Coordinates of all heavy atoms in Angstrom, one line a residue:
I3 N -19.1 -4.8 -26.3 CA -18.3 -3.6 -26.3 C -17.2 -3.8 -27.4 O -16.6 -4.9 -27.4 CB -17.6 -3.4 -24.9 CG1 -18.7 -3.0 -23.9 CG2 -16.5 -2.3 -25.0 CD1 -18.1 -2.9 -22.5
N40 N -14.9 1.0 -13.1 CA -15.5 1.5 -14.4 C -16.7 0.6 -14.6 O -16.6 -0.5 -15.2 CB -14.4 1.3 -15.5 CG -15.0 1.4 -16.9 OD1 -16.0 2.1 -17.0 ND2 -14.4 0.8 -17.9
V42 N -19.2 0.6 -16.6 CA -19.6 0.3 -17.9 C -19.1 -1.1 -18.3 O -19.7 -1.8 -19.0 CB -19.1 1.4 -18.9 CG1 -19.4 1.1 -20.3 CG2 -19.7 2.8 -18.5
C43 N -17.9 -1.4 -17.9 CA -17.2 -2.6 -18.3 C -17.1 -3.6 -17.1 O -16.8 -4.8 -17.4 CB -15.8 -2.3 -18.8 SG -14.9 -3.6 -19.6
G44 N -17.3 -3.1 -15.9 CA -17.2 -4.0 -14.7 C -15.7 -4.1 -14.2 O -15.4 -5.1 -13.6
D45 N -14.9 -3.1 -14.6 CA -13.5 -3.1 -14.2 C -13.4 -2.5 -12.8 O -14.0 -1.5 -12.4 CB -12.6 -2.2 -15.1 CG -12.8 -2.7 -16.6 OD1 -12.9 -3.9 -16.8 OD2 -12.8 -1.8 -17.4
G67 N -11.3 -7.4 -14.1 CA -12.0 -6.7 -15.2 C -11.3 -7.1 -16.5 O -10.7 -8.2 -16.6
C68 N -11.5 -6.3 -17.5 CA -11.1 -6.7 -18.9 C -9.6 -6.6 -19.0 O -8.9 -6.0 -18.2 CB -11.7 -5.8 -19.9 SG -11.2 -4.1 -19.9
S69 N -9.1 -7.2 -20.1 CA -7.6 -7.2 -20.3 C -7.0 -5.8 -20.4 O -5.9 -5.6 -19.9 CB -7.3 -8.0 -21.6 OG -7.9 -7.4 -22.7
I70 N -7.7 -4.9 -21.0 CA -7.2 -3.5 -21.1 C -7.0 -2.9 -19.8 O -6.0 -2.3 -19.4 CB -8.0 -2.7 -22.1 CG1 -7.9 -3.3 -23.5 CG2 -7.6 -1.2 -22.0 CD1 -8.8 -2.6 -24.5
S71 N -8.0 -3.0 -18.9 CA -8.0 -2.3 -17.6 C -6.9 -2.9 -16.7 O -6.1 -2.2 -16.0 CB -9.3 -2.4 -16.9 OG -9.7 -3.7 -16.5
Q72 N -6.8 -4.2 -16.7 CA -5.8 -4.9 -15.8 C -4.4 -4.8 -16.3 O -3.5 -4.6 -15.6 CB -6.2 -6.4 -15.6 CG -7.6 -6.5 -15.1 CD -7.8 -5.8 -13.7 OE1 -7.1 -6.1 -12.8 NE2 -8.8 -4.9 -13.7
I125 N -15.3 4.1 -25.4 CA -15.8 3.3 -24.3 C -14.7 2.5 -23.6 O -14.7 2.2 -22.5 CB -17.0 2.4 -24.7 CG1 -17.8 2.0 -23.6 CG2 -16.5 1.3 -25.5 CD1 -19.2 1.6 -24.0
R126 N -13.6 2.2 -24.4 CA -12.5 1.4 -23.9 C -11.4 2.3 -23.3 O -10.6 1.9 -22.6 CB -11.8 0.6 -25.0 CG -12.8 -0.5 -25.6 CD -13.6 -1.2 -24.7 NE -12.9 -2.1 -23.7 CZ -12.7 -3.3 -23.9 NH1 -13.2 -4.0 -25.0 NH2 -12.1 -4.1 -23.0
K128 N -12.0 4.4 -21.0 CA -12.3 4.3 -19.6 C -11.6 3.1 -19.0 O -11.2 3.2 -17.8 CB -13.8 4.3 -19.4 CG -14.6 5.5 -19.7 CD -16.0 5.5 -19.2 CE -16.7 6.8 -19.3 NZ -17.0 7.1 -20.8
C129 N -11.5 2.0 -19.7 CA -10.9 0.8 -19.2 C -9.4 1.1 -19.0 O -8.8 0.9 -18.0 CB -11.0 -0.3 -20.2 SG -12.7 -0.7 -20.6
A130 N -8.8 1.7 -20.1 CA -7.3 2.0 -20.0 C -7.0 3.0 -19.0 O -5.9 3.0 -18.4 CB -6.8 2.4 -21.4
Ligands
ZN201 ZN1 -12.8 -2.7 -19.3

Side-chain angles (χ1 to χ4, degrees):
I3 295 178
N40 170 25
V42 176
C43 186
D45 306 320
C68 70
S69 58
I70 291 174
S71 68
Q72 302 303 301
I125 202 159
R126 302 315 297 263
K128 291 190 173 70
C129 301

